[in-house]
Amino acid sequence: MKIFRQGAELQKYALECKRSGKQIALVPTMGFLHKGHASLIDIARQRGDEVIVSIFVNPTQFAPNEDLDKYPRDFEGDCKLCEAHGATAVFAPAPEDMYAPDRSIWVDETTLSKVLCGKSRPIHFRGVLTVVSKLFNLAQPDVAVFGKKDAQQAIIIKRMVRDLNFPVEIVLGDLIRDTDNVAMSSRNRYLSEDERRRARSISESVFYAEKELKQRGVDAVGTVIQYAEQHIAEAGGIVDYVEVLDSSDLTEPTAESSGVLFAVAAVFGTTRLIDNCFVDMPGKN
Ligand code: AMP
């Protein structure tokens, strides 16, 4: 497995791969990899001759009050996981290599990024879209794999690819849960044992919402939001949002919506967790 530290080296390699007719699949990550990331690398393996995993804790998507400095890192462990799942290259640049000190170009989204996580993290998606655009230019992927765990991010990246005509297919991998059903996340390592136990209220709310929305469609929206807000608060979580939106454009769902996204963000201790499910509306598919 190759390890690239410089964007220019990766780009040269990727262009050579393309010239020799290879399909490139890219999995962008921030490292401290777990089974959720591994499942995306497995998908990439099926889709590409070359599987490039990027490991980069992207400073531009963190606000000054967020956890950039303490974000967990384990480069050696990450490389082992990548190799075990058939990655052919890891790209792990230094922030100075990715961003010139006088950079002045951003990729921004103006509608979908204003709801859900965008309300409490106003600069987050601009940072994500800018770094993902750069990764697409450096790794030249035919396919890029993202997780449904970050549902809003996945929807916004698909919109960027459509609106800016990136020649890349976006593939989404299912949300992977731990044995206690908590959604896998690098940030779970911040949770104390007690917080982790209480954080189960989030996935319990997601499962309840999935069942009700599948059965009753948009009629269940009020009930599932109320249930989640109450259940998470009773477990000691501070709810940032619980929302049900049309999954095609993140607007309020209507009787015509064919699918919805139930999405939650809540804080346990000092750790902000997100979880979600996509649900097809009964009789609409
Ligand atoms: P991150 O390293 O958290 O930035 O995530 C990198 C990619 O892995 C993103 O596309 C995430 O959506 C995806 N991912 C993170 N956690 C999970 C999970 N539990 N299940 C599936 N995909 C995930």
Side-chain angles (χ1 to χ4, degrees):
M1 188 177 74
K2 295 187 167 51
I3 294 177
F4 294 102
R5 294 282 184 181
Q6 303 284 333
E9 283 170 20
L10 172 70
Q11 194 177 51
K12 184 163 168 271
Y13 177 74
L15 288 168
E16 278 163 14
C17 289
K18 273 190 112 76
R19 271 195 286 276
S20 59
K22 285 185 177 163
Q23 288 277 313
I24 300 176
L26 171 70
V27 183
T29 82
M30 297 206 298
F32 208 69
L33 304 179
H34 50 65
K35 286 181 188 156
H37 299 110
S39 72
L40 306 184
I41 302 172
D42 292 341
I43 294 172
R45 183 70 273 179
Q46 288 167 6
R47 296 297 309 270
D49 309 303
E50 285 290 324
V51 175
I52 302 171
V53 179
S54 62
I55 297 176
F56 181 57
V57 183
N58 174 36
T60 64
Q61 68 192 63
F62 288 78
N65 62 331
E66 293 180 347
D67 57 343
L68 173 63
D69 292 336
K70 67 170 186 148
Y71 198 83
R73 291 163 204 250
D74 175 15
F75 187 63
E76 218 175 291
D78 289 350
C79 285
K80 281 194 187 131
L81 182 143
C82 289
E83 192 148 33
H85 286 267
T88 54
V90 162
F91 175 50
E96 310 80 76
D97 181 57
M98 285 295 271
Y99 292 110
D102 60 347
R103 67 180 185 276
S104 54
I105 304 287
W106 294 97
V107 181
D108 207 357
E109 196 284 335
T110 55
T111 309
L112 305 171
S113 58
K114 300 299 175 207
V115 299
L116 302 176
C117 289
K119 281 190 195 160
S120 55
R121 308 187 75 189
I123 61 152
H124 175 69
F125 290 109
R126 180 184 75 164
V128 169
L129 293 180
T130 302
V131 81
V132 168
S133 301
K134 289 164 71 68
L135 292 169
F136 285 177
N137 283 331
L138 293 171
Q140 300 281 316
D142 299 282
V143 173
V145 189
F146 293 87
K148 289 184 193 166
K149 157 88 188 333
D150 296 271
Q152 185 179 16
Q153 168 177 286
I155 291 167
I156 294 175
I157 287 170
K158 280 191 164 185
R159 175 68 64 91
M160 175 182 81
V161 164
R162 186 197 76 179
D163 284 1
L164 297 184
N165 308 95
F166 279 99
V168 55
E169 180 189 348
I170 303 300
V171 174
L172 302 185
D174 286 338
L175 190 161
I176 305 296
R177 297 179 181 283
D178 220 326
T179 44
D180 60 358
N181 283 330
V182 172
M184 286 208 171
S185 165
S186 309
R187 289 190 168 98
N188 289 349
R189 93 110 45 156
Y190 303 146
L191 295 168
S192 69
E193 218 173 290
D194 178 52
E195 287 162 357
R196 169 92 192 198
R197 215 169 12 250
R198 293 188 281 115
R200 287 186 208 165
S201 57
I202 299 180
S203 51
E204 285 159 4
S205 301
V206 170
F207 294 154
Y208 175 77
E210 189 170 25
K211 182 170 127 279
E212 289 293 310
L213 289 164
K214 250 183 204 158
Q215 276 171 12
R216 299 202 285 127
V218 288
D219 291 345
V221 168
T223 316
V224 300
I225 291 176
Q226 203 190 357
Y227 176 86
E229 285 178 347
Q230 195 173 335
H231 190 53
I232 294 167
E234 277 169 7
I238 309 291
V239 173
D240 178 3
Y241 62 75
V242 178
E243 289 198 52
V244 180
L245 297 176
D246 191 309
S247 52
S248 68
D249 58 5
L250 299 182
T251 57
E252 288 298 313
T254 68
E256 305 313 312
S257 297
S258 64
V260 297
L261 170 68
F262 172 85
V264 187
V267 179
F268 280 85
T270 55
T271 309
R272 186 175 178 279
L273 301 172
I274 58 170
D275 200 337
N276 70 75
C277 60
F278 286 90
V279 187
D280 290 337
M281 290 293 87
K284 294 286 172 193
N285 289 278

